[in-house]
Amino acid sequence: MATVSARLSIIGETSSGEPDQDANSALTELDKGLRSAKVGEQCEAIIRFPRLFEKYPFPILINSACLKLAELFRTGTNFHRVLILRVMQQTQKHLDKILNLDEFVHRLYAVIHSNDPVARALTLRTLGNIASVVAEKKSIHHSIRNSLDSHDAVEMKAAIYATGKFAAQSKAFASNICSKIGEMIQGLATPVEVKLQLLSIFQHMHHDAQTIAQVWKLCTSLLPDYPSQQFVVCTLHTLTELAAASITHIPQQVNLLISYLKEDGRMCVKLNALKDMEKLAKTGPHLWTLENVNQLVNYTIETPYISLKCEIFSVMVALAYSVSVDKFDLSAECKVLKLSQDCILHDNVPLAAISVELLSQIAIHVFQEDVIVQNIDLMPEVSSAIEALLLVICTSDDQSPENLKSLLKCFKCAVNICEVSPEMCIQFVDTIGSLIGKTSDVWVVPLCTALCALGNKSAGVVVCWQTDLIPKLKEFILQPQITSERAKAIGMVCTLLFQTSVDKPWVLHDDEIVMNAIDSVDFWSSYKIGRQATRYGHHQYAIKIFSTLCNKVSSEHLYFWLISLCEMSKAENCLTSKTVRSNQDIIEYVTQAITHYMKAISALKAATTPQHSLLFQCEYARLRSEVLQAHLQLLLACSCVKTSPPPAIAVSVATATRDELQKCGRVVMQIRKCAKDFKNLADQYGALYQSVFDADSKTLINIQLLHQGCLLIAQAIDKVSQHNQGMGFSTSEEDILSIEYSKQSLENYQMGEACRKASTIIRDFASNYEERTVSRQETDFLIKISNEIFLIPLCFPRFFFQALQSTSIKLAISPQPKTTGEPIIIQHTSQLSIKVEGVVQHGSRPGLYRKVDKILITVVSQQNRPPSQDPKTFPEPNIVPTTTLSQNVTPHYDYFHAQFLLGFPIAGLHSITIEAAVIDDKESLWKTGPKMTLNVKSYDDSNNQKPASRPTYASRFQT
């Protein structure tokens, strides 16, 4: 059960497990370890510095820590220097925060004069790793140049390493050292191994055109003089890296690589030349010419070697994925098409797979650009080739990794084709679905994964395979032992069954078989199946799974997490599993759902830990509960038409208020209040949307649809109950886009369809609405709209369970009060400088969905209202003096800082709020927080102190 508990921690990112302490305490503790008399404690302290820098990348701390490490490097042993070298390698992005750079370099550089060649070698490697901040130090350049002539092999290799690092950073050093490296390579006394290492340095010398030309001339002259395989491969690779960095030499390098491909007879040279060409095809595809592509195609036709053909196809696939796809000659001869058509039926599976990938990309280009290719429709040909290759792989006995890689490549091609031509989706689904029952268990998981990927693009695509998936589940259950692969296959088949019933009711009555399959797998696989059931709206299975698993975990927090999932599934099941016949039934079921949501929210709060805050989950469940309460309130308000008829004075009230709808009675005020509640809920959904920076796109669509559902009902109520509005209906462009995009998101399909139907109902009703009154007809219309939107199973978004991207911001505010909780005291004539430093912390997959471009820091200063207000100080009781300042800062290696100058002219207690928000690479604002507060007390002592006399010129010197 410990495994289940550990895996369930995927709910959010976990911390490193170290005790949370402030930066000064952590640095003091490590400094104590450095000054220890025990070597083990010193080494342990050294290796903990990289984690300290990542957690607190503040310049003052990094400067102090690096000076301590440099001092230990100067006075310590070579073992200490090795560890410090590793620290410098891991913390290069923080080196520019060292404030006392000269002192830091001086302590390191002092070891270069040691008599120990190993110490000098370690110094050179350490200096090479800090080359980004000391690239122009002439003394270091001189030491590296001298060490290249050393007779000690260790020192020479370290000098070569440092030369490469400094050549990549310093233009002056690269141009000065170039001739010396050339002399050493051409010198007879230099060993071959050293020459190859020196040759690789040239790839970093791309700072200016003159140096590039000098290096290019030298390397090309070495090719005929040193024809050995090692030298040719190393020289070509160096020229490729240099061309990729300079861009301008890519055409020359492509021609050079093609010439070696055609003329050099050594297979190793050919393969390495093709790998270099693939790099250039990805770096500068627009610089390739039509002649280059034709030369590759012609050589592929001529060569009999399968390995070379596969590598050439990889180069052409890289070009086909780029803007150079139009460089393929699709004229009358169409050599590339003929070549691909011949290879897609080849008996070598990797060659057939890579040719299918090339042909599919060309077919997509032809389809999108309406290119005419000999009146040939490539889409059917590509789909037939993919289906044939799938059949060959899945029916063969060869279950090698190459075949699995080729199978996944076919699935990728099928998905890419379906994105541009959705009508092809059904064809691929039929082919893949027919293979599931005819292949071994090894291929079932990738086949089901491909079916899920295709079925998730649109509803109803995989529904025809529902009856064929149940026998496969029976087959899995009857197996004597459920392996991990088989458990994964059961999970994928169950996910497919959930997908088949998203757009229509569950047509099968094999619930027992599905539950038996779920019970046969391990607890973690069962949890994943339950998670998929909630994502596709099948809460009847989720209830059974989570209620069983809640007693199978060892952690109290995980127990409450599973209880909350079970209660939320029960709540959603109340809304959909019953047969609704009257409004009274609806009211009863909605009340039960609200009760379950209250229990779920309590369980979520109990499941919260410092590592898993569950803020999004709690807010998402709370908003759903409040939406159901608003829906219930609307049902009760609409029933006022029957239970509370308008009073006798309703007409006079309507005349007095100039609101003709008041003559309809209390139902008008009741539904107007409901409209206000729905608008408030829509605003809260908007705020929730802005707070989930790390959410995936489908989660954002889910929140948008919930936001839009509240707006639709509020707008429908306003059109009925507001006397100054007609029944015209409009939907914003953003809402229309979210509805349309929900068609491509199977998890949000039902909510998108509900909003679409509600919009249609509102428009139809508005077109026939003439009478300005609130009667039984109008309330029935509102109830119908509300039921249409909310009485559907809510599909929980992925972000509710998994945070694949994790981004958090930590702030450090200065100055801070001497005592926690006490205000900062300042004179009312002075100004307070507030420095805000911060760190952007990422999880294991930074930038997966969106990247942090800027940080918006907002500082709000507001004076607290004193108990006894002075009319002169506060002219109006509801107006409080407020100052708002904001600044955009760009993080540098995840560190940012800003300064604000605030004045407090009015004496009293002031509250300062500092809040951070994220601006992504698309200029969208995300209010992620955090928010911190400071208290400042401003005082006026002008009446208590006499102005000091100004000192004379002579008295200043006496003082």
Side-chain angles (χ1 to χ4, degrees):
M1 296 325 304
T3 305
V4 180
S5 301
R7 286 182 167 181
L8 279 173
S9 65
I10 200 171
I11 296 169
E13 294 281 349
T14 57
S15 63
S16 59
E18 292 188 350
D20 193 12
Q21 53 185 352
D22 61 287
N24 293 330
S25 301
L27 182 60
T28 303
E29 183 180 347
L30 294 183
D31 183 40
K32 183 179 178 181
L34 292 180
R35 292 186 281 105
S36 174
K38 299 179 180 179
V39 178
E41 293 181 0
Q42 292 179 343
C43 297
E44 183 182 358
I46 293 173
I47 63 176
R48 289 174 61 187
F49 271 95
R51 184 172 295 175
L52 176 69
F53 291 166
E54 289 296 327
K55 194 172 183 180
Y56 306 105
F58 302 116
I60 296 178
L61 182 142
I62 291 176
N63 179 73
S64 177
C66 287
L67 290 177
K68 295 178 186 298
L69 290 176
E71 182 62 24
L72 182 61
F73 188 92
R74 184 178 67 85
T75 59
T77 64
N78 284 342
F79 184 63
H80 291 136
R81 296 183 180 115
V82 170
L83 296 179
I84 296 173
L85 170 61
R86 299 297 182 218
V87 172
M88 294 299 144
Q89 289 175 342
Q90 297 176 30
T91 59
Q92 291 188 21
K93 67 180 184 179
H94 301 298
L95 294 175
D96 57 348
K97 299 171 188 172
I98 300 177
L99 305 177
N100 299 340
L101 186 60
D102 292 337
E103 179 64 23
F104 173 69
V105 175
H106 176 71
R107 296 180 184 182
L108 294 177
Y109 190 70
V111 190
I112 201 70
H113 305 294
S114 172
N115 293 328
D116 183 6
V118 177
R120 295 198 300 269
L122 290 173
T123 305
L124 289 172
R125 289 184 178 272
T126 305
L127 293 173
N129 281 287
I130 65 170
S132 58
V133 293
V134 295
E136 304 303 331
K137 295 283 186 180
K138 301 299 181 182
S139 57
I140 301 178
H141 296 177
H142 179 71
S143 299
I144 294 174
R145 193 181 187 96
N146 290 340
S147 297
L148 286 174
D149 298 326
S150 175
H151 297 287
D152 186 84
V154 176
E155 185 177 359
M156 177 183 286
K157 289 182 179 180
I160 294 173
Y161 175 83
T163 302
K165 293 291 186 179
F166 273 84
Q169 300 290 336
S170 174
K171 173 183 174 182
F173 180 77
S175 58
N176 293 334
I177 205 69
C178 181
S179 57
K180 179 174 180 61
I181 295 176
E183 294 174 0
M184 293 180 67
I185 293 175
Q186 294 175 337
L188 299 178
T190 308
V192 176
E193 180 185 356
V194 176
K195 287 183 178 182
L196 293 176
Q197 294 176 359
L198 290 170
L199 192 60
S200 63
I201 296 175
F202 285 137
Q203 63 184 311
H204 303 297
M205 299 184 178
H206 49 74
H207 300 284
D208 58 346
Q210 183 179 0
T211 306
I212 294 174
Q214 183 181 357
V215 172
W216 196 273
K217 181 179 179 181
L218 177 61
C219 290
T220 50
S221 66
L222 291 175
L223 284 172
D225 295 340
Y226 295 89
S228 65
Q229 179 174 297
Q230 284 181 313
F231 266 91
V232 171
V233 170
C234 185
T235 306
L236 290 178
H237 181 69
T238 300
L239 289 174
T240 299
E241 294 292 336
L242 190 63
S246 65
I247 303 296
T248 56
H249 286 69
I250 286 181
Q252 296 175 249
Q253 182 62 12
V254 170
N255 292 327
L256 180 63
L257 292 173
I258 291 177
S259 66
Y260 268 88
L261 173 67
K262 297 167 64 176
E263 298 171 4
D264 200 301
R266 292 167 291 190
M267 183 63 67
C268 180
V269 175
K270 292 178 180 289
L271 291 175
N272 282 277
L274 287 171
K275 290 179 181 178
D276 289 339
M277 274 190 273
E278 185 177 0
K279 178 180 179 60
L280 295 179
K282 295 177 180 178
T283 304
H286 57 287
L287 297 175
W288 285 61
T289 62
L290 184 63
E291 183 183 358
N292 297 142
V293 178
N294 289 335
Q295 287 177 337
L296 286 179
V297 173
N298 293 332
Y299 185 80
T300 310
I301 296 174
E302 297 171 1
T303 183
Y305 299 106
I306 301 297
S307 59
L308 287 180
K309 287 187 175 182
C310 290
E311 290 295 333
I312 296 174
F313 268 111
S314 298
V315 177
M316 291 192 289
V317 165
L319 292 173
Y321 275 105
S322 66
V323 295
S324 293
V325 63
D326 57 351
K327 300 290 176 62
F328 292 98
D329 186 11
L330 302 178
S331 59
E333 297 181 359
C334 288
K335 289 184 179 180
V336 65
L337 290 182
K338 185 178 182 303
L339 175 64
S340 301
Q341 290 166 351
D342 292 341
C343 291
I344 58 178
L345 301 176
H346 202 278
D347 56 354
N348 185 273
V349 173
L351 178 59
I354 193 70
S355 59
V356 162
E357 187 175 8
L358 175 62
L359 190 60
S360 65
Q361 281 305 119
I362 295 177
I364 291 173
H365 169 68
V366 170
F367 180 82
Q368 290 179 329
E369 302 296 332
D370 294 330
V371 181
I372 300 176
V373 186
Q374 294 184 347
N375 297 323
I376 300 175
D377 190 2
L378 294 179
M379 282 295 187
E381 186 172 358
V382 172
S383 62
S384 301
I386 294 175
E387 292 170 1
L389 189 57
L390 288 176
L391 185 62
V392 169
I393 295 175
C394 294
T395 55
S396 66
D397 296 331
D398 186 6
Q399 300 175 356
S400 60
E402 289 79 10
N403 277 9
L404 178 59
K405 186 178 180 181
S406 301
L407 185 67
L408 297 178
K409 196 170 292 184
C410 291
F411 293 152
K412 179 182 177 182
C413 296
V415 171
N416 291 339
I417 290 175
C418 291
E419 286 181 354
V420 298
S421 180
E423 60 271 10
M424 303 288 292
C425 191
I426 298 178
Q427 180 179 348
F428 286 119
V429 167
D430 291 342
T431 303
I432 297 174
S434 62
L435 292 173
I436 290 181
K438 302 175 183 178
T439 60
S440 61
D441 293 345
V442 177
W443 307 118
V444 170
V445 173
L447 286 172
C448 290
T449 304
L451 268 184
C452 290
L454 295 173
N456 199 34
K457 292 193 171 297
S458 59
V461 176
V462 294
V463 68
C464 57
W465 292 101
Q466 192 181 72
T467 54
D468 296 324
L469 293 173
I470 294 296
K472 196 65 181 177
L473 273 184
K474 292 181 180 178
E475 180 183 341
F476 286 134
I477 297 173
L478 296 176
Q479 297 292 337
Q481 184 180 3
I482 304 296
T483 61
S484 59
E485 285 295 322
R486 197 159 293 157
K488 189 175 182 180
I490 291 175
M492 299 303 297
V493 172
C494 290
T495 302
L496 279 173
L497 286 173
F498 297 148
Q499 285 186 346
T500 58
S501 302
V502 165
D503 59 332
K504 55 185 62 179
W506 188 264
V507 298
L508 295 177
H509 298 284
D510 295 310
D511 293 354
E512 185 178 354
I513 296 176
V514 176
M515 287 308 303
N516 289 338
I518 295 173
D519 293 338
S520 65
V521 300
D522 59 283
F523 296 138
W524 174 242
S525 300
S526 178
Y527 172 78
K528 291 195 293 183
I529 295 173
R531 188 174 62 189
Q532 294 296 330
T534 59
R535 289 185 61 190
Y536 292 105
H538 297 282
H539 298 283
Q540 66 273 22
Y541 293 103
I543 295 171
K544 300 176 183 178
I545 295 173
F546 294 139
S547 61
T548 303
L549 290 178
C550 64
N551 295 318
K552 306 294 183 181
V553 291
S554 57
S555 170
E556 183 182 25
H557 301 292
L558 296 178
Y559 167 79
F560 284 113
W561 165 250
L562 293 172
I563 286 294
S564 67
L565 294 179
C566 182
E567 291 294 335
M568 292 177 68
S569 298
K570 288 180 181 179
E572 296 301 327
N573 196 47
C574 288
L575 302 176
T576 56
S577 61
K578 308 285 193 310
T579 302
V580 178
R581 297 182 180 179
S582 64
N583 288 343
Q584 189 62 35
D585 294 332
I586 299 177
I587 293 173
E588 180 182 353
Y589 301 148
V590 172
T591 304
Q592 293 177 7
I594 293 172
T595 303
H596 286 298
Y597 261 110
M598 291 295 104
K599 296 179 181 178
I601 294 171
S602 300
L604 281 173
K605 293 179 179 179
T608 301
T609 63
Q611 291 79 20
H612 307 114
S613 60
L614 303 182
L615 292 177
F616 172 78
Q617 289 83 350
C618 292
E619 185 68 10
Y620 190 84
R622 183 189 67 81
L623 286 177
R624 178 62 174 175
S625 173
E626 292 190 4
V627 164
L628 292 178
Q629 290 178 9
H631 172 68
L632 178 62
Q633 190 64 33
L634 179 61
L635 294 178
L636 296 175
C638 290
S639 65
C640 291
V641 172
K642 297 180 290 184
T643 60
S644 299
I649 61 172
V651 177
S652 59
V653 172
T655 305
T657 59
R658 296 182 181 180
D659 185 357
E660 63 181 40
L661 290 178
Q662 289 286 353
K663 63 184 180 182
C664 300
R666 59 177 298 196
V667 64
V668 176
M669 299 305 297
Q670 292 291 328
I671 62 176
R672 285 178 181 176
K673 183 180 181 300
C674 293
K676 184 178 180 181
D677 292 340
F678 279 113
K679 290 177 184 177
N680 184 34
L681 287 170
D683 294 339
Q684 293 184 54
Y685 271 118
L688 179 64
Y689 181 94
Q690 282 195 312
S691 66
V692 286
F693 175 79
D694 297 319
D696 57 287
S697 59
K698 293 181 180 179
T699 299
L700 296 180
I701 295 174
N702 182 285
I703 300 174
Q704 278 183 328
L705 290 172
L706 292 171
H707 168 266
Q708 183 181 338
C710 295
L711 286 181
L712 280 173
I713 293 187
Q715 193 171 19
I717 296 174
D718 283 344
K719 299 304 179 183
V720 171
S721 63
Q722 297 296 335
H723 68 279
N724 57 348
Q725 297 188 23
M727 278 297 298
F729 179 76
S730 63
T731 305
S732 66
E733 182 180 356
E734 182 182 356
D735 294 338
I736 293 175
L737 290 176
S738 65
I739 291 179
E740 294 301 322
Y741 191 74
S742 66
K743 294 181 180 179
Q744 304 176 5
S745 175
L746 199 59
E747 298 97 321
N748 302 315
Y749 176 79
Q750 289 186 337
M751 281 191 292
E753 285 295 314
C755 293
R756 195 175 297 110
K757 291 179 182 178
S759 302
T760 304
I761 294 172
I762 294 175
R763 288 191 181 96
D764 294 341
F765 186 84
S767 61
N768 300 324
Y769 186 78
E770 297 179 357
E771 184 181 2
R772 299 297 302 151
T773 183
V774 178
S775 60
R776 181 75 174 270
Q777 181 184 0
E778 284 74 23
T779 56
D780 289 345
F781 156 72
L782 294 178
I783 291 174
K784 183 178 181 181
I785 293 295
S786 183
N787 292 343
E788 190 69 44
I789 293 178
F790 295 115
L791 294 186
I792 58 171
L794 176 65
C795 299
F796 301 158
R798 181 172 195 165
F799 192 67
F800 194 89
F801 299 96
Q802 289 178 303
L804 298 183
Q805 174 183 320
S806 177
T807 308
S808 61
I809 298 176
K810 284 191 174 183
L811 296 180
I813 312 298
S814 58
Q816 286 289 333
K818 297 180 180 180
T819 306
T820 305
E822 293 293 327
I824 299 173
I825 301 176
I826 187 174
Q827 288 186 359
H828 77 290
T829 56
S830 303
Q831 291 182 317
L832 179 64
S833 175
I834 297 179
K835 184 176 183 181
V836 181
E837 294 180 286
V839 184
V840 182
Q841 295 183 332
H842 302 282
S844 57
R845 306 171 71 178
L848 179 62
Y849 300 120
R850 54 197 64 85
K851 298 179 181 179
V852 177
D853 184 49
K854 298 176 183 178
I855 304 295
L856 174 63
I857 302 176
T858 305
V859 176
V860 179
S861 175
Q862 186 176 21
Q863 184 172 5
N864 297 341
R865 185 181 292 110
S868 58
Q869 295 182 358
D870 185 1
K872 296 181 181 180
T873 306
F874 294 93
E876 296 184 19
N878 294 328
I879 298 178
V880 178
T882 302
T883 303
T884 302
L885 301 175
S886 61
Q887 184 177 349
N888 284 338
V889 292
T890 302
H892 179 66
Y893 290 125
D894 298 332
Y895 169 78
F896 60 90
H897 64 91
Q899 284 187 322
F900 300 88
L901 194 63
L902 293 175
F904 308 94
I906 302 176
L909 191 63
H910 299 258
S911 177
I912 301 176
T913 303
I914 300 102
E915 184 176 6
V918 172
I919 300 176
D920 63 11
D921 48 356
K922 296 182 180 179
E923 298 298 327
S924 297
L925 178 65
W926 302 86
K927 297 180 180 179
T928 58
K931 184 183 293 186
M932 302 180 69
T933 59
L934 281 177
N935 291 324
V936 176
K937 187 175 182 180
S938 174
Y939 67 93
D940 183 4
D941 60 348
S942 59
N943 297 326
N944 299 329
Q945 289 185 357
K946 296 181 180 180
S949 58
R950 187 174 181 180
T952 61
Y953 184 78
S955 64
R956 294 182 187 177
F957 289 96
Q958 293 174 1
T959 303

